[in-house]
Amino acid sequence: MFKILTPVHPGEILREEYLKPLKMSAGALAKMLNVPRTRIERLASEQTPVTTDTALRLARYFRTTPDFWLNLQASYNLSVEAPALTDELLAIPERDFAA
């Protein structure tokens, strides 16, 4: 059997893969990105999602792509929300395009 992994919030990636290795605080990063300190603090503590604006800024600073950050967020959203909607989704009939 496969072990189902817990969803990974983009803030965890930011914190564990970027901020900690660089020994950088969320406040210092916020200053570099020219955004409110609370935006990055809340993201790094997994209290808020990555927005398009933040993804663009993170991509520029860390030399990644905005898609990287937004895909992390989309994957997290799907992993968290899909189980909560299982019954509702199963109640939706599938369209038969062969008919």
Side-chain angles (χ1 to χ4, degrees):
M1 277 290 150
F2 293 103
K3 181 180 177 185
I4 297 177
L5 301 175
T6 56
V8 178
H9 191 279
E12 180 179 345
I13 300 297
L14 175 62
R15 185 180 65 246
E16 299 298 325
E17 302 296 328
Y18 291 90
L19 295 178
K20 282 186 179 179
L22 294 171
K23 296 180 179 21
M24 178 181 252
S25 70
L29 176 59
K31 191 172 204 171
M32 298 304 294
L33 302 182
N34 196 30
V35 297
R37 173 186 49 81
T38 54
R39 182 191 303 190
I40 302 303
E41 287 175 345
R42 293 184 72 222
L43 175 58
S45 64
E46 304 173 38
Q47 297 174 7
T48 190
V50 171
T51 62
T52 304
D53 180 88
T54 303
L56 288 162
R57 293 168 189 268
L58 290 170
R60 170 72 180 176
Y61 186 76
F62 289 120
R63 300 180 74 180
T64 61
T65 64
D67 303 65
F68 170 74
W69 297 100
L70 292 174
N71 286 337
L72 285 172
Q73 187 64 56
S75 178
Y76 177 79
N77 291 350
L78 289 168
S79 296
V80 169
E81 294 177 31
L85 291 174
T86 299
D87 292 339
E88 287 185 54
L89 294 174
L90 290 173
I92 298 171
E94 293 180 340
R95 172 78 178 160
D96 181 6
F97 287 98

